[in-house]
Amino acid sequence: MTKDLSVGAGAGLVAALLFGVLLKATALAILLYLLAPLPILIVGLGWSHRAALAAVVSGALALALFIAPSLGLAFAAYLAIPAWWLAYLALLGRPKVDGTAEGTIEWYPTGRLLAWVAGTAALAFIAIAVIASPDYDTFRAQLTAMSRRVVQVQVQRGRIPPPAQTAPTNEAPTGTTDPSAEKPAEPAAPQAQGEAQTGEKTDDLASEVADALATVAPAIAAQGLTILFTFYLWAAARIVQISGRLLRPWPDLPSTVMPRTALLVFAAALTLAMVPGYPGALGIALIGAFSAAFALQGLAAFHDRSRGRPGRFALLAGLYVLLFLTQGVAMLALILFGIADTALDRRRPKPRGDA
């Protein structure tokens, strides 16, 4: 056990270093920061969850002592504790009691693990938000300001068109004989007034889009974090499997099906999203996180149902190309497919003795 703890402590220092380089604010620093949870997951899956917990403690303490206490707390809440928790769940197992050979282990189902990935991602986002801004109004103002900057960039690039301008009319009435009517009657003032009105309309549109973007920002962030945590868990498990230290056999990922309780959590999140303050933000984050989880399950179901079919490679390649080209439109179809797959429960094996 002492060796596991020392290995875990070393992994925590590596993870803290990867997390701390984010302060450099360079492209390489961001790339290294994205790899920060991997050392904790690797020691958690390859040694024990105690080693992963030692990594959490050592990494958080190192950042708190050498950089800032708030950075150590952010590291623990946002990446380290979620990585330890997912590694702990992945290695949960119990002896089978269905009459199979003695010593056979029933490992934690990948469907339940996927549901926990989504829930963990939503909680991690809210945790880092509370640490950064304990007051929700301040947090909302920061989100709105960030969203406004994003919208302004999109307007400058022409992706959000400004409202149509109404050209001022300076023509004289038909039939006039006054020579002075042929001259433009001070066009500068009407033009300036039109530009001011257009600017106000553009600002109003930008404000509305920014407010909407700030509202859904927790869902977008939790959605991305769910996909990242899923990738981290898969990549760490592959690395540990290659090393020969993975304690559980590699699961059949295409057969992943979340329990129906995930639908209840999703429905509860829709209700919670209407509550003001951080509880509402948690509801929105859960909506985004479980949407990503349902999309991943829909993708797994597509892999599962295409097994043994002719042209399976072409079908899967076409799906991924469609996902890339439609920029998220096909993701909605995958989400609905994943929800239906969970609700109908058609892919689970039937109990023995059923016809």
Side-chain angles (χ1 to χ4, degrees):
M1 180 181 293
T2 303
K3 182 179 179 181
D4 289 357
L5 295 180
S6 61
V7 171
L13 295 177
V14 173
L17 179 63
L18 294 173
F19 185 84
V21 295
L22 183 62
L23 299 176
K24 297 290 185 180
T26 63
L28 179 59
I30 294 174
L31 178 62
L32 294 175
Y33 156 78
L34 291 175
L35 300 177
L38 279 178
I40 301 175
L41 282 166
I42 288 173
V43 297
L45 295 173
W47 279 260
S48 68
H49 73 91
R50 296 182 183 86
L53 193 57
V56 173
V57 175
S58 65
L61 284 177
L63 290 172
L65 293 175
F66 293 102
I67 300 181
S70 59
L71 192 64
L73 184 59
F75 167 77
Y78 189 59
L79 293 179
I81 292 178
W84 161 77
W85 174 242
L86 294 178
Y88 171 77
L89 291 176
L91 293 184
L92 281 181
R94 62 184 180 185
K96 286 188 176 180
V97 292
D98 57 357
T100 56
E102 184 178 355
T104 305
I105 301 296
E106 180 183 6
W107 296 100
Y108 199 73
T110 55
R112 292 183 178 274
L113 187 57
L114 179 59
W116 270 111
V117 168
T120 302
L123 291 172
F125 171 79
I126 295 300
I128 194 67
V130 172
I131 292 171
S133 301
D135 179 62
Y136 176 77
D137 292 335
T138 304
F139 170 71
R140 175 72 186 199
Q142 292 172 348
L143 278 184
T144 303
M146 293 173 59
S147 301
R148 184 64 182 267
R149 287 195 292 269
V150 172
V151 171
Q152 287 175 347
V153 171
Q154 299 304 314
V155 170
Q156 293 172 359
R157 293 180 178 178
R159 295 181 181 179
I160 300 179
Q165 299 185 16
T166 303
T169 303
N170 298 318
E171 297 180 357
T174 304
T176 182
T177 58
D178 188 356
S180 63
E182 298 178 359
K183 299 180 181 180
E186 299 295 336
Q191 183 179 2
Q193 183 179 4
E195 290 178 354
Q197 292 176 352
T198 302
E200 291 176 359
K201 292 180 180 179
T202 303
D203 289 341
D204 291 341
L205 177 62
S207 298
E208 292 177 1
V209 176
D211 288 340
L213 185 59
T215 300
V216 300
I220 297 173
Q223 192 175 64
L225 197 57
T226 299
I227 296 175
L228 281 176
F229 279 167
T230 304
F231 170 75
Y232 291 149
L233 192 57
W234 174 85
R238 277 298 187 192
I239 293 172
V240 176
Q241 183 193 36
I242 292 173
S243 69
R245 297 191 64 96
L246 189 61
L247 299 179
R248 64 176 290 173
W250 190 261
D252 182 25
L253 295 181
S255 64
T256 298
V257 181
M258 288 191 292
R260 286 178 174 171
T261 51
L263 296 173
L264 299 178
V265 175
F266 189 71
L270 293 173
T271 305
L272 186 62
M274 303 177 186
V275 179
Y278 274 120
L282 175 60
I284 296 173
L286 285 170
I287 292 172
F290 274 89
S291 295
F294 282 124
L296 291 173
Q297 180 174 319
L299 194 61
F302 195 88
H303 277 260
D304 191 22
R305 293 175 183 272
S306 63
R307 285 172 169 171
R309 296 181 181 273
R312 180 174 186 259
F313 178 79
L315 288 173
L316 295 177
L319 174 63
Y320 284 103
V321 170
L322 185 64
L323 285 172
F324 177 76
L325 294 179
T326 57
Q327 297 184 358
V329 176
M331 183 70 72
L332 178 60
L334 278 180
I335 292 171
L336 297 176
F337 188 29
I339 291 175
D341 189 52
T342 302
L344 298 177
D345 202 17
R346 295 287 180 86
R347 291 193 295 142
R348 300 184 196 273
K350 295 182 178 180
R352 295 183 178 181
D354 289 358

